[in-house]
Amino acid sequence: MNTYEAAGVDIAAGERAVELMKSRVAASRRPEVVDDASGFAGLFDASAFLKYRRPLLATSTDGVGTKVDLARRLGIYDTIGHDLVGMVIDDLVVCGAEPLFMTDYIACGKVVPERIADIVGGIAEACALAGCALVGGETAEHPGLLEPDEFDVAGAGTGVVEADRLLGPERVTVGDVVLALASSGIHSNGYSLVRHILRSSSLSLESEVAEFGRTAGEELLTPTRIYALDCLALIEAGGVHAFSHITGGGLTANLARSLPGTVDAVLQRSSWTPPPVFSVLQSHGDVAQPDMDKTFNMGVGMAAIVAPEAVEGALKLLADRGVPAWILGEIIDGTGAARLI
């Protein structure tokens, strides 16, 4: 007799995964979250918006990309959720939005309850670090489409910003200063190139790398730094005109998105030394510098464009919050480009 379970879908395993993750998801709860007894939807009390004069909702969606393959190969599932939240929520905060809530989607070849609970638990933990609630999600079992140990994750987030506090290119002006907020490593972009280097060089996930003080796999799985609350603190302190989340495309391409067409950002390559993971990958993969620059964040995970008088206070605030930061460059007359010199 044919059954759903015989086709490869284990409903009981899915139910057990939900039970395992419940307490970890609850840790991300915000006061505005309202329980939906059916569990079909996540509810958020919109009366919280009454304190705004003209609230703008901001939304973002993203995934983790091929970094999930490294997590699968290493059998480590509790960090990949940080990467997902970093990719989604730190896009939201670029416009000045406070992140409110997030939902996730996991597709897998086979539901292993402990594995799913670890993934979702990591997402919930990272949501708490970003100040938002994980209000719902979906786990889909796709036997025959994905191998039993294969999975992918994606998510969507929603935030809110007062209309007259919206950050962006229109606020950037000549004389502003570009601050770099250090990344924790590669974050979640460029892993197709990373995996190509691992396939075509002597570097492997199990390689002990002196520069790292641990294996390459452990270094490459370092979770994405989450900047949301740090950026909101900078906004509250005043003087921030724009942010740029440094993701796919690298530093200059992403920073250019936050510039008006009348200025350039001139960035000093000598102002920082990228973490060792980048030089190790570059040497093993024989990757030219321009390709490194347009593929990876090179040690800068977020950039803030601030008024000159706000620089000292911003750097102190970030230091107090444990975020390494430095003056990366300046804004000059131009045509909307960012360049490293």
Side-chain angles (χ1 to χ4, degrees), residues 31-93:
E32 302 94 338
V33 173
V34 178
D35 290 322
D36 170 28
S38 71
F40 282 99
L43 301 177
F44 192 90
D45 186 354
S47 67
F49 300 155
L50 293 175
K51 66 181 180 181
Y52 293 87
R53 297 180 302 279
R54 186 188 170 202
L56 301 180
L57 290 181
T59 186
S60 176
T61 186
D62 209 339
V64 178
T66 57
K67 190 173 183 178
V68 298
D69 181 56
L70 271 65
R72 177 189 63 81
R73 291 163 60 184
L74 291 166
I76 299 172
Y77 306 107
D78 60 350
T79 61
I80 206 77
H82 284 244
D83 297 297
L84 180 63
V85 174
M87 292 299 98
V88 172
I89 298 303
D90 284 337
D91 272 0
L92 279 182
V93 81

Side-chain angles (χ1 to χ4, degrees), residues 235-298:
I235 294 169
E236 190 63 29
V240 177
H241 294 160
F243 288 112
S244 178
H245 190 198
I246 312 305
T247 54
L251 179 56
T252 56
N254 280 287
L255 189 55
R257 296 166 62 181
S258 296
L259 301 177
T262 56
V263 304
D264 283 354
V266 179
L267 313 176
Q268 301 292 329
R269 195 184 290 273
S270 61
S271 67
W272 88 103
T273 301
V277 64
F278 298 105
S279 59
V280 169
L281 288 171
Q282 185 172 18
S283 62
H284 278 84
D286 191 25
V287 183
Q289 191 61 50
D291 285 307
M292 293 293 295
D293 290 340
K294 70 181 182 182
T295 304
F296 300 114
N297 66 54
M298 298 305 292

Side-chain angles (χ1 to χ4, degrees), residues 168-229:
E170 64 281 356
R171 292 181 179 262
V172 178
T173 186
V174 171
D176 283 350
V177 177
V178 183
L179 303 182
L181 281 64
S183 70
S184 58
I186 297 178
H187 285 183
S188 298
N189 298 102
Y191 277 85
S192 292
L193 178 55
V194 169
R195 290 165 61 244
H196 178 72
I197 293 170
L198 291 171
R199 288 192 300 267
S200 60
S201 75
S202 61
L203 188 67
S204 72
L205 293 179
E206 295 75 28
S207 299
E208 293 284 347
V209 181
E211 292 92 332
F212 304 158
R214 54 181 176 173
T215 67
E218 290 170 320
E219 181 70 22
L220 292 170
L221 210 59
T222 300
T224 300
R225 175 172 266 145
I226 296 170
Y227 301 97
L229 294 183

